[in-house]
Amino acid sequence: MDNNTAKEIITEYIFADYNMNVLNRYLNANDQDQLHREALLTEALRKAIIALNK
């Protein structure tokens, strides 16, 4: 995941009132469960924090 994708994920999540179901479009059909959504969001937030520290 690149920084732009991380930004997209975080933005969509926030504008969806923190509904993780909006993250399904970034996941494979077999991975669209709560655990995979949380992992995706965690990775996006990690990238954002690293980008802010630069």
Side-chain angles (χ1 to χ4, degrees), residues 5-32:
T5 304
K7 179 182 172 186
E8 260 183 49
I9 290 170
I10 294 167
T11 302
E12 285 190 39
Y13 176 63
I14 291 170
F15 280 108
D17 287 332
Y18 305 98
N19 182 347
M20 286 193 155
N21 291 329
V22 300
L23 304 179
N24 283 342
R25 76 181 196 99
Y26 296 97
L27 298 168
N28 296 327
N30 295 334
D31 295 334
Q32 294 181 355

Side-chain angles (χ1 to χ4, degrees), residues 40-52:
L40 179 72
L41 185 58
T42 299
E43 179 67 15
L45 290 169
R46 187 184 70 77
K47 285 231 178 240
I49 290 168
I50 290 170
L52 286 173

